[in-house]
Amino acid sequence: MAVLDPVDRHRWTDTALSAAERADALLAALSLEEKIAQLGSVWEGLAVEATGDVAPMQEIFAAGSRPFDEAVRHGIGHLTRVFGTRPVTARQGRERVAGLQRRVTAGSRFGIPAIVHEECLTGFTTLGATVYPTSLAWAATFDPALVERMARAIAADMRSAGVHQGLSPVLDVVRDYRWGRVEETMGEDPYLVAALGTAYVRGLEDEGVVATLKHFAGYSASRAARNHAPVPMGPRELREIILPPFEAAVRAGRARSVMNSYAEIDGLPAGADPDLLTVVLRDEWGFEGVVVSDYWSVPFLQTMHRVAASPAEAGALALAAGIDVELPDTIGYGAGLVALVRAGRVPEELVDRAARRVLRQKAELGLLDPDWTPEGSVAAGAGIDLDPPGNREIARELAEASIVLLADDAGVLPLGAGARPRRIAVVGPCADDPQAFMGCYSYPNHVLGDFPEYSMGVAADSLWTALHAELPGDRFTLERGCPIRDEDRSGFPAAVAAAAAADVCIAVVGDRAGLFGRGTSGEGCDVPDLSLPGVQGELLGTLLDTGTPVIVVVVSGRPYALGGYERAAAMIQAFMPGEEGGAALAGVLSGRVNPAGRLPVQIPRLPGGAPGTYLQPPLGANSQGVSNVDPTPMFGFGHGRSYTSYAYDDLTLSAAELPTDGTLTVSVRVRNTGARDGAEVVQLYLHDVQAEVTRPLRQLAGFARVPLAAGAAARVVFTLHADRTAFVGRDLRRVVDPGELEVHVGRSVTDLPCRATVRLTGERRVAGPDRVLHTPVVVEPW
């Protein structure tokens, strides 16, 4: 074993030097094997501890996993899922992190610590940590500041446990609601995804945890919405719809990591695409961080995409494309890649390029500091509360703000008013199941299904339990009616009898999240159409036939078609609102909470006829005389009702013309005309009347969540730069084009009472990489 020059050690541990200088000093001292080791990862216990599949084809790849000490003998880049493999307490997890880091640093020549990563989509994915609402629920809040607060809390919990990197957020833009991972997204509009995703990234990064943007790119647009299926998308649509959230999170959020997509676009897997991972990401956007592979996507280049003949050749393709670290275990970036480099088939400069990035990030994280120790990398103290009152308060605020009142045509809501006691039948498979409120990457659904002795690991009420506390003067009857997805109708008679004997029936239907077919929503849980799972739709029909007013509550990870249930007295949508979801839903039903959630995805009317999103050109909308299928949704993007009412007027533009490099202010007055305090989501949409390519009929360009007391008013002022009108033209450049532009402001894409036009003037202009990505908004009291 070579002896390290103490001068070199001084340089790479010298905190007075820049992270890049320290990385270069260390890189110069490493052997080829040691450099490639920094590009790998190890999942300790994968072959013996992990139960169930938390990643695709996990069992197959686990069989070839190397013993830990062998895997780290030259060092290692990442430690995989120390907390998320099997249940460990916070204290056990910290001890395990410290112990593994000791083995990493003691087992190799230079003693370089590893980066520890973990999932954090609905909170730190570990036993006993707060389970926040799903990303789709964050999107329904239209509240970036609240999402950033949540991310800060998640980062603080992870950092206290010695975790350096979180594998979130998901920035995939929904293209087909049948895809199982819709619940993990922030909806179907790229601007909304960009705004909320960037807020999440800032929350993690400002607290010192590396945020990982995924899945780059195109994953959500797979053919027929099947997980990992090919993506039938051209380069213009990719740049127009899919890439903007990633660009915003890189440029405005300062994200330090990106994870590639499993997808192939036009026959080219993302993990082997240098145009995507290097040219777009680094050369165009200036990304300087580390690209990590999605789990086993490197060997997938051989086994699934079949563009490589061996794991080592798969590794060579991925390395050349721009993947710096292979997760979750080392297969393509192992001894076979070393041999390819030594044989001259892979340039060592590619290894150096990736290793330099990894080492620089380790320097930024303090892992190369002279006083770093395994024990010091985790918080001191006897215990850590990963679900403290402050976290639960954020979870409650998110849950309450995310719930969407779709309809209340019969005026049956809120239930808090009126004479008591009332007879309330609570029916449905999601009525008494708090895990229905949790996403597929929540710890209770992600891991604890194989460990029933731990229950859920956190306190969470079902809606049934929460309603008793919320409406103590009423009498309740509970009937399940049917399972979530099994075709078992044996519970129908009891459910119908309960509803018929009640003054009102609350029907709670929807999903149970899981992975790879073990649920009705989640990764690998795709569906052929948008009917409610199992026989839940039939159950709703029988309940509506009783004549009792039925309040339909859908708790789901995707929007389901609700056409045919218009007889419902009221409809509510909750997108898996987390551990505080029961109380939040009960609060909306009672009226304690005035609903202000808005749809980040549309609610279809038909289960199979229209899985498209609102971003449609004219021929994508209802085309009478062209097609007999009407794709008009039941509830459009941005829709959501309230227990108060709002009025819009006095739309004012600062000018009638907008130079193609200029700025325009768009302001509108919004009034709360009802008797209750509330919050309105004011939405700005644009329509380019004529362009060189077809344009959406409406596209979100700005929004603001505006709290308004009863009787109060506010002026909402948007500052619209001409860059925000840019589109990707025929030559694949983003351009600002002169011409007429419609400006719409209102409460949803289908309810826009204020309209004006402005003319873009001047020369056609290319909006480059420094273009304005955001529409600032100011709310002024009236």
Side-chain angles (χ1 to χ4, degrees):
M1 180 177 292
V3 178
L4 179 64
D5 186 333
V7 176
D8 290 336
R9 177 179 289 277
H10 174 72
R11 283 189 58 78
W12 62 263
T13 61
D14 186 354
T15 57
L17 298 176
S18 69
E21 289 171 320
R22 296 169 68 188
D24 283 342
L26 181 52
L27 183 67
L30 297 179
S31 67
L32 176 62
E33 287 82 359
E34 289 165 337
K35 287 187 287 190
I36 288 180
Q38 291 299 311
L39 314 184
S41 58
V42 59
W43 193 341
E44 199 269 341
L46 172 62
V48 295
E49 290 187 3
T51 60
D53 284 341
V54 298
M57 303 182 71
Q58 174 179 312
E59 184 177 346
I60 294 173
F61 289 110
S65 181
R66 296 173 297 167
F68 184 86
D69 291 326
E70 177 186 335
V72 303
R73 67 191 181 94
H74 294 298
I76 201 71
H78 276 238
L79 292 177
T80 293
R81 307 216 54 190
V82 178
F83 290 85
T85 301
R86 63 178 296 113
V88 291
T89 65
R91 180 175 180 177
Q92 290 169 336
R94 289 182 302 164
E95 291 173 349
R96 189 176 184 188
V97 167
L100 292 176
Q101 291 281 32
R102 277 194 298 271
R103 291 166 67 185
V104 168
T105 55
S108 59
R109 184 165 64 114
F110 292 94
I112 305 167
I115 293 172
V116 180
H117 74 255
E118 189 52 82
E119 299 284 357
C120 58
L121 191 62
T122 61
F124 182 15
T125 306
T126 190
L127 181 67
T130 305
V131 179
Y132 296 96
T134 59
S135 308
L136 197 58
W138 315 342
T141 71
F142 279 69
D143 192 340
L146 183 54
V147 171
E148 183 172 337
R149 280 178 55 205
M150 175 198 65
R152 288 181 181 276
I154 293 170
D157 289 340
M158 297 175 77
R159 196 179 65 247
S160 72
V163 177
H164 308 103
Q165 181 164 347
L167 301 187
S168 291
V170 171
L171 298 183
D172 298 305
V173 178
V174 173
R175 301 302 283 165
D176 190 324
Y177 309 136
R178 298 172 296 174
W179 190 47
R181 304 190 79 166
V182 168
E183 66 169 68
E184 300 178 47
T185 76
M186 287 171 266
E188 65 186 61
D189 180 85
Y191 182 66
L192 179 64
V193 177
L196 295 167
T198 299
Y200 182 96
V201 168
R202 285 195 186 112
L204 252 62
E205 292 283 1
D206 287 352
E207 291 294 319
V209 173
V210 175
T212 310
L213 314 181
K214 61 186 192 184
H215 306 86
F216 192 66
Y219 187 30
S220 57
S222 58
R223 185 175 285 122
R226 292 180 60 250
N227 195 34
H228 293 209
V231 173
M233 177 178 285
R236 203 201 67 79
E237 185 180 357
L238 182 76
R239 285 180 173 266
E240 185 80 54
I241 302 296
I242 301 298
L243 296 188
F246 292 93
E247 181 180 7
V250 167
R251 288 181 49 202
R254 306 178 305 279
R256 287 183 286 174
S257 188
V258 171
M259 175 180 280
N260 75 288
S261 162
Y262 289 120
E264 61 177 78
I265 303 174
D266 195 24
L268 183 58
D273 186 355
D275 285 340
L276 184 67
L277 298 180
T278 298
V279 176
V280 172
L281 181 61
R282 296 188 185 274
D283 299 345
E284 293 184 18
W285 298 350
F287 177 69
E288 296 182 347
V290 174
V291 175
V292 299
S293 78
D294 205 344
Y295 281 19
W296 288 300
S297 64
V298 172
F300 277 1
L301 295 175
Q302 177 202 6
T303 61
M304 305 300 288
H305 295 294
R306 302 181 186 179
V307 295
S310 67
E313 289 189 14
L317 280 176
L319 184 67
I323 292 180
D324 302 310
V325 175
E326 180 183 7
L327 301 181
D329 217 27
T330 304
I331 296 177
Y333 285 10
L337 182 59
V338 173
L340 290 179
V341 175
R342 293 208 186 282
R345 294 176 58 189
V346 174
E348 190 167 353
E349 290 78 10
L350 292 179
V351 175
D352 291 348
R353 179 182 73 173
R356 182 178 289 108
R357 293 166 182 165
V358 175
L359 295 173
R360 184 176 64 231
Q361 191 162 94
K362 289 189 175 186
E364 293 169 351
L365 292 167
L367 295 175
L368 304 186
D369 290 358
D371 58 351
W372 185 92
T373 63
E375 294 74 21
S377 68
V378 297
I384 301 173
D385 184 358
L386 296 177
D387 191 29
N391 284 14
R392 295 195 71 101
E393 173 63 18
I394 296 171
R396 179 193 64 78
E397 290 182 47
L398 276 162
E400 291 179 353
S402 71
I403 293 169
V404 183
L405 176 60
L406 298 175
D408 183 26
D409 297 335
V412 69
L413 293 174
L415 294 175
R420 286 186 171 82
R422 286 166 302 189
R423 297 165 299 171
I424 300 177
V426 183
V427 177
C430 299
D432 194 24
D433 181 8
Q435 281 184 251
F437 299 148
M438 301 177 184
C440 74
Y441 271 80
S442 69
Y443 203 75
N445 288 335
H446 195 63
V447 174
L448 291 183
D450 296 304
F451 301 91
E453 65 271 24
Y454 288 91
S455 184
M456 288 188 299
V458 292
D461 288 338
S462 68
L463 180 55
W464 165 252
T465 301
L467 281 169
H468 283 78
E470 191 76 31
L471 299 168
D474 290 316
R475 297 198 299 265
F476 296 93
T477 303
L478 174 68
E479 291 292 342
R480 186 172 181 231
C482 65
I484 286 178
R485 64 176 177 177
D486 295 339
E487 295 190 3
D488 179 358
R489 299 171 180 82
S490 61
F492 278 24
V496 168
D503 298 311
V504 65
C505 173
I506 302 172
V508 193
V509 296
D511 281 321
R512 180 68 176 272
L515 292 166
F516 308 111
R518 299 195 297 272
T520 56
S521 174
E523 184 174 0
C525 297
D526 315 311
V527 293
D529 62 46
L530 295 171
S531 303
L532 284 165
V535 294
Q536 293 182 75
E538 293 180 39
L539 176 64
L540 278 186
T542 63
L543 296 175
L544 291 167
D545 288 342
T546 65
T548 298
V550 177
I551 301 166
V552 176
V553 178
V554 183
V555 182
S556 63
R558 64 166 61 84
Y560 285 107
L562 298 181
Y565 310 121
E566 292 90 342
R567 291 178 293 160
M571 291 183 177
I572 291 172
Q573 174 70 58
F575 294 112
M576 296 182 176
E579 66 181 30
E580 290 287 333
L585 272 169
V588 168
L589 288 164
S590 74
R592 174 177 56 82
V593 176
N594 191 356
R598 299 295 183 265
L599 289 176
V601 287
Q602 302 194 116
I603 303 293
R605 187 177 300 276
L606 304 174
T613 72
Y614 92 97
L615 287 171
Q616 297 294 334
L619 285 175
N622 188 24
S623 307
Q624 293 183 353
V626 175
S627 172
N628 65 319
V629 176
D630 182 359
T632 303
M634 190 165 180
F635 301 104
F637 178 84
H639 171 81
R641 297 183 63 179
S642 170
Y643 294 147
T644 189
S645 56
Y646 301 96
Y648 289 72
D649 60 19
D650 195 23
L651 176 66
T652 303
L653 307 187
S654 61
E657 295 185 344
L658 171 61
T660 54
D661 60 353
T663 298
L664 176 79
T665 60
V666 179
S667 67
V668 68
R669 183 174 68 162
V670 184
R671 293 176 291 137
N672 183 341
T673 56
R676 290 198 55 168
D677 297 348
E680 175 71 329
V681 178
V682 180
Q683 301 166 43
L684 169 67
Y685 292 86
L686 302 178
H687 171 53
D688 193 337
V689 175
Q690 182 179 357
E692 66 184 58
V693 296
T694 61
R695 303 296 298 135
L697 292 168
R698 304 284 184 273
Q699 184 160 9
L700 185 71
F703 62 88
R705 189 178 179 96
V706 183
L708 285 172
R715 178 163 289 280
V716 181
V717 183
F718 297 95
T719 301
L720 182 73
H721 194 280
D723 285 355
R724 299 289 295 116
T725 73
F727 60 87
V728 178
R730 294 183 182 187
D731 60 1
L732 300 184
R733 295 189 300 173
R734 193 174 289 272
V735 296
V736 181
D737 223 9
E740 185 179 346
L741 186 73
E742 292 179 0
V743 178
H744 301 264
V745 181
R747 56 182 63 89
S748 78
V749 74
T750 56
D751 189 355
L752 297 167
C754 296
R755 177 184 179 276
T757 60
V758 64
R759 178 161 291 278
L760 283 157
T761 60
E763 297 296 319
R764 184 177 189 265
R765 183 176 65 85
V766 174
D770 59 345
R771 75 182 188 280
V772 175
L773 301 174
H774 178 60
T775 303
V777 58
V778 175
V779 178
E780 302 171 347
W782 186 261

